[in-house]
Amino acid sequence: MSSSRRSLPSQLEHNPLGPRCFLFGVRAHEWHVGLVALAAAVAIALAGAAAVAVVPVALAGTWLLLKDWHDIGPSKRDTAAWQLGIHRVPAKLRRARRGASLPAVSGWLAGAVGALNVISALTPELPGRVAVLSSLAGSHTVLVAHALALPAGLALLVISPYLVRRRSRALYAAVVLLVALGGLNLAKGLDLEEALVSWALAGLLVWGRDSFFVRHGRLTARETVRSLLPPAVTALAAGLAAFLTELWATPTLTVALAFVVALAVARIAFRPLAAPSSRPTEPERREARRLVRANGSDTLSFFKLRKDLQHLFSRDGRAFLSYRVEGGVLLCSGDPIGPDDAVPGLLIEACLFAEARGLKIAFVGAGERLREVAADAGLHAIYMGDEAMVDNTAFSLVGRPMRKVRQSVNRLSKAGYTAELCFLRDVGQRQLDELEAVSERWRRGRPERGFSMAMDSLRGEHVGDSSVVIARDAEGHIRGFLHFVPSYGSPRASLSAMPRDHDAPNGLTEFMIVRAIELFPAQGVRELSLNFAAFGRFLHAPLSRAEWLLGRLVSLANPFFQIESLYSFNAKFDPRWQPRYLLYEGMLGLARAGVATLWAEGQLPKPSLRPAARPAMLLGS
């Protein structure tokens, strides 16, 4: 800005991040106004004013400080975009939307307007205004307007939560209701103030309509009738009972019955567009396998080929991610598959896909590469644990730290146990049946656990390149096996499962892992990814006092999730630790993403009307 323009007493500058105000050439921030308001509140309090005069000014000043906190310190100043709510740093990979914080504010405002109209409809109007209206439009019009204001206000109350959730149908319905309520307020009692508030809010919603982006599926008559029938019958029965007991004229009962029906209608009308429920088609599966073979060098890439995952491809077909919807979260498995330059575009499409369906997006088991890119999509990262990576070429059983592992291997070898390594595509039908029998005995009828770091089957063309290390006893019976999946383009393999017979000798798992370390180098595999150890750094190598405290809290969950025992098992093989992260959306989205992750991984039973089987544990005693 030129010096001549800065010399003006005040100047408003238009900026891509929002309007900027200058007073006498000095930039004025909202936090400056907040400080002035707080100082004024202190001065008013010292003058002996009542709390009713002090509190609003103090709250306004505090709010201005909170929403403009980015501009208080010089390191983050001028990085956030202006919003009605707290100013936020714009995400490069997110679509910029006008009025991004409007839905949350408008939801509360719409609820307040709806409640105000309900109260107004249930209370008598001012006699003078009613007399004027009756002479102009007739008393019948006034009565009709008064009667219609009640259901319209109730409907606005019901819609308001869906405005907060950014539902597009709720936006259109709210605008229609607000315009209508403004007219009804004038027609029932010349309530000009209420009418202006309703119309102003309707105008604000129209202005910020771009931020109500959640789409809706097509409503079918059959589904609508099936969903609305129970509440409608309930309301009708309650109304009939009220009539028979001479309570039918009670306004409160009428309002309650109407509210129940309105809630049922809103639940159907404002339900968001559902994510695809059908499994990927065979062409999509083939394309996913092709991309994994071409770009799946990450140790978790192969797990995206699970049959129970959905795939989302980039528009140019160069990249894809695998996901499952859990608890309103689009939960993605590991890093996307594709060249580095195709990942940002895929993230843009994934965010739009999630937004249109009212879902929050999260990534489980993300690596460092995705962590950096996803920050531009507004995703936060939290450390969730480490993969145990064993160097096959450097591993040795020599030395005191390996004493227990060495003893297990020697004991099993003397007992006649052997191990062989083979590709699953070379395993015959009979032997595959034996492997599945071992897995079934290991689970004892419980479902297999896993999502981002385990396969769901030993059968299918997609697992042909994976390997199994099979352990047999002295009689040649299969007593356990390890399933490994490849990392294409890198000399690594990842452990998917390690079932064994429960009556097998102790140390069988250690025996199989050591034999795998010895056998894989002949196949060109120089490094093995073993089990994932959750929060290992917090438990054993915290970087701060906060991480140490988190480690103590995490250890309390060990009896339920095997956190400490799994880390200790992995540590036996002297691995290097490769960190993985949970990426989540929104400052308050961590808990939601965490619960969705526990459900998907089978670590936490998902609420259901039917009892769920307990997932199989990764390690036995």
Side-chain angles (χ1 to χ4, degrees):
M1 182 178 292
S2 64
S3 58
S4 60
R5 291 177 66 187
R6 288 287 184 90
S7 63
L8 296 173
S10 65
Q11 179 69 45
L12 187 64
E13 177 186 287
H14 295 286
N15 187 281
L17 295 179
R20 295 181 176 181
C21 182
F22 293 87
L23 296 176
F24 300 101
V26 179
R27 169 81 185 280
H29 295 272
E30 284 178 288
W31 68 271
H32 290 147
V33 181
L35 285 179
V36 172
L38 288 176
V42 172
I44 295 173
L46 292 176
V52 68
V54 178
V55 173
V57 177
L59 290 176
T62 303
W63 168 244
L64 289 171
L65 282 174
L66 289 175
K67 71 175 299 196
D68 200 30
W69 72 271
H70 283 92
D71 285 338
I72 296 178
S75 63
K76 294 184 180 294
R77 187 167 296 162
D78 296 332
T79 60
W82 188 92
Q83 296 186 80
L84 290 174
I86 295 176
H87 300 169
R88 300 185 184 279
V89 178
K92 298 177 183 178
L93 301 181
R94 291 276 188 168
R95 176 180 169 183
R97 299 182 185 274
R98 184 168 58 184
S101 58
L102 176 61
V105 178
S106 64
W108 288 102
L109 292 177
V113 172
L116 181 64
N117 277 275
V118 169
I119 295 172
S120 177
L122 293 175
T123 54
E125 300 293 341
L126 296 176
R129 294 184 178 183
V130 173
V132 173
L133 277 172
S134 297
S135 63
L136 294 175
S139 57
H140 179 72
T141 302
V142 175
L143 291 175
V144 170
H146 200 283
L148 291 177
L150 176 60
L154 281 175
L156 195 59
L157 269 174
V158 171
I159 289 174
S160 58
Y162 296 98
L163 291 175
V164 176
R165 299 175 191 173
R166 303 178 182 271
R167 308 290 167 83
S168 57
R169 280 183 187 160
L171 166 71
Y172 303 137
V175 169
V176 171
L177 282 172
L178 287 167
V179 172
L181 278 170
L184 291 173
N185 286 326
L186 292 178
K188 72 182 179 65
L190 286 180
D191 296 327
L192 180 61
E193 303 87 350
E194 296 176 20
L196 290 176
V197 169
S198 297
W199 289 337
L201 181 54
L204 186 63
L205 290 175
V206 172
W207 172 81
R209 61 189 179 278
D210 189 45
S211 291
F212 296 85
F213 43 70
V214 178
R215 295 160 49 201
H216 305 271
R218 183 172 62 91
L219 294 175
T220 63
R222 183 177 182 180
E223 186 179 13
T224 302
V225 171
R226 185 178 61 187
S227 301
L228 293 182
L229 192 58
V233 170
T234 302
L236 183 62
L240 180 61
F243 177 79
L244 295 176
T245 56
E246 299 184 355
L247 293 175
W248 61 275
T250 304
T252 304
L253 180 61
T254 304
V255 171
L257 293 177
F259 196 70
V260 169
V261 175
L263 286 174
V265 172
R267 180 177 176 273
I268 300 301
F270 304 135
R271 185 168 53 196
L273 182 66
S277 56
S278 59
R279 296 304 181 196
T281 63
E282 188 54 37
E284 288 175 330
R285 293 188 188 279
R286 286 197 299 266
E287 184 61 16
R289 291 197 294 268
R290 184 190 69 80
L291 288 173
V292 168
R293 289 191 178 98
N295 303 281
S297 60
D298 186 76
T299 52
L300 304 187
S301 295
F302 196 91
F303 297 124
K304 292 170 183 58
L305 300 181
R306 289 175 62 109
K307 290 184 177 180
D308 57 353
L309 297 181
Q310 299 284 356
H311 301 319
L312 179 64
F313 292 88
S314 62
R315 188 165 300 177
D316 58 10
R318 299 171 59 216
F320 83 99
L321 57 80
S322 295
Y323 71 90
R324 183 187 298 168
V325 176
E326 293 283 0
V329 177
L330 187 79
L331 198 64
C332 304
S333 172
D335 293 8
I337 302 296
D340 289 351
D341 63 331
V343 171
L346 176 61
L347 285 179
I348 292 175
E349 294 177 40
C351 292
L352 292 174
F353 180 87
E355 287 176 353
R357 290 157 178 79
L359 302 172
K360 296 297 184 181
I361 191 168
F363 285 83
V364 182
E368 290 287 353
R369 182 189 68 168
L370 180 60
R371 180 190 181 190
E372 297 173 1
V373 178
D376 290 334
L379 300 183
H380 307 280
I382 183 172
Y383 163 81
M384 61 178 294
D386 304 89
E387 283 182 272
M389 308 293 296
V390 177
D391 186 341
N392 298 342
T393 59
F395 180 81
S396 173
L397 287 173
V398 177
R400 183 172 179 81
M402 289 291 169
R403 181 172 59 88
K404 291 185 178 180
V405 176
R406 185 170 62 247
Q407 289 175 346
S408 296
V409 173
N410 292 338
R411 184 173 63 253
L412 270 294
S413 297
K414 291 178 180 178
Y417 274 74
T418 60
E420 62 175 324
L421 170 65
C422 53
F423 288 105
L424 264 181
R425 62 171 174 263
D426 299 328
V427 175
Q429 180 65 43
R430 180 178 178 182
Q431 194 174 41
L432 188 59
D433 291 341
E434 292 182 42
L435 295 177
E436 289 182 330
V438 172
S439 183
E440 181 65 28
R441 291 195 297 271
W442 169 245
R443 295 198 309 270
R444 289 176 173 169
R446 298 171 294 190
E448 188 65 77
R449 190 167 65 180
F451 166 67
S452 60
M453 302 178 187
M455 291 302 293
D456 57 338
S457 175
L458 297 177
R459 296 181 184 271
E461 181 183 350
H462 64 296
V463 294
D465 291 343
S466 62
S467 308
V468 284
V469 174
I470 303 172
R472 299 178 183 273
D473 60 18
E475 287 76 32
H477 299 133
I478 297 178
R479 304 303 302 278
F481 69 92
L482 306 179
H483 181 209
F484 287 91
V485 299
S487 298
Y488 294 105
S490 67
R492 296 180 295 182
S494 298
L495 180 62
S496 171
M498 49 182 189
R500 61 177 176 82
D501 283 337
H502 288 277
D503 60 350
N506 289 334
L508 178 60
T509 304
E510 289 88 341
F511 171 82
M512 290 190 292
I513 290 178
V514 170
R515 289 293 181 254
I517 294 172
E518 296 171 347
L519 293 169
F520 264 112
Q523 304 294 331
V525 176
R526 297 196 298 269
E527 193 171 40
L528 294 181
S529 169
L530 301 183
N531 297 295
F532 177 77
F535 309 113
R537 189 179 76 210
F538 293 165
L539 292 168
H540 298 278
L543 301 179
S544 64
R545 186 72 178 177
E547 289 194 357
W548 177 87
L549 179 59
L550 286 172
R552 304 284 73 75
L553 294 175
V554 165
S555 63
L556 298 177
N558 183 64
F560 307 99
F561 300 107
Q562 289 192 319
I563 296 173
E564 176 66 37
S565 54
L566 192 54
Y567 176 91
S568 300
F569 178 84
N570 291 331
K572 293 179 181 180
F573 304 96
D574 190 28
R576 70 175 179 88
W577 301 101
Q578 179 169 300
R580 292 285 176 175
Y581 302 90
L582 173 64
L583 308 183
Y584 61 96
E585 181 181 354
M587 296 300 293
L588 302 178
L590 177 58
R592 189 174 183 179
V595 171
T597 299
L598 292 174
W599 282 345
E601 296 286 1
Q603 300 280 359
L604 188 68
K606 192 172 183 179
S608 175
L609 295 178
R610 292 179 297 181
R614 182 183 174 187
M617 307 300 285
L618 291 177
L619 287 174
S621 57

